[in-house]
């Protein structure tokens, strides 16, 4: 069974930084996305990266988040800088477009003073 594993979340003050990682057996095969689900809201796409490393970001995170990948290690990463209160949520990675089930458990990011 396919298994997505996200890690790297935590509690950070506004303005702080975190680095999230995602591994799965198939990450080197597809374009990948990072998704965020804030409390009480639907899951949204915040960043995506093609197999060749071309990135795209939601307006809310552009200039602060950087998406990267290491195809040899089946890993995608999300470097998050200048974090804001509204970045709080559970972060997931998955194939984009066309997600693969099941989703991973995600990693919690809490931005709080």
């Amino acid at each position: 069974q396919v298994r997505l594993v996200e890690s790297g979340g935590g509690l950070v003050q506004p303005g702080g930084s975190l680095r999230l990682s995602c591994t799965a057996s198939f990450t080197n095969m597809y374009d990948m996305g990072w998704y965020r689900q804030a409390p009480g809201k639907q899951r949204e796409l915040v960043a995506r990266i093609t197999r060749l490393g071309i990135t795209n970001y939601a307006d809310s995170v552009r200039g602060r988040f950087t998406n990267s990948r290491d195809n040899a290690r089946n890993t995608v990463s999300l470097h998050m800088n200048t974090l804001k209160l509204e970045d709080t949520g559970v972060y997931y990675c998955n194939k984009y477009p066309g997600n693969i089930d099941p989703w991973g458990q995600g990693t919690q990011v809490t931005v709080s003073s």
Side-chain angles (χ1 to χ4, degrees):
Q1 185 180 17
V2 173
R3 183 166 177 245
L4 283 151
V5 180
E6 301 92 350
S7 62
L11 173 63
V12 63
Q13 292 185 338
S17 299
L18 284 173
R19 178 187 177 188
L20 308 184
S21 293
C22 166
T23 61
S25 60
F26 61 83
T27 54
N28 65 328
M29 299 171 59
Y30 300 112
D31 297 354
M32 296 293 293
W34 280 98
Y35 301 78
R36 173 173 69 200
Q37 187 161 21
K41 295 187 177 181
Q42 290 188 333
R43 190 178 294 164
E44 61 173 340
L45 178 70
V46 297
R48 52 191 173 100
I49 184 167
T50 70
R51 289 181 61 197
L52 297 180
I54 298 171
T55 56
N56 191 275
Y57 302 94
D59 289 343
S60 60
V61 306
R62 186 174 293 115
R64 300 187 296 118
F65 290 12
T66 302
N67 206 353
S68 62
R69 67 189 301 157
D70 183 341
N71 288 335
R73 298 186 178 187
N74 282 331
T75 300
V76 292
S77 299
L78 188 67
H79 295 250
M80 307 188 297
N81 296 316
T82 320
L83 283 161
K84 303 178 179 179
L85 297 175
E86 53 264 40
D87 292 320
T88 293
V90 181
Y91 285 71
Y92 304 86
C93 68
N94 207 318
K95 177 180 173 288
Y96 177 90
N99 306 135
I100 290 179
D101 290 322
W103 289 70
Q105 65 181 9
T107 186
Q108 175 71 46
V109 172
T110 302
V111 185
S112 175
S113 56

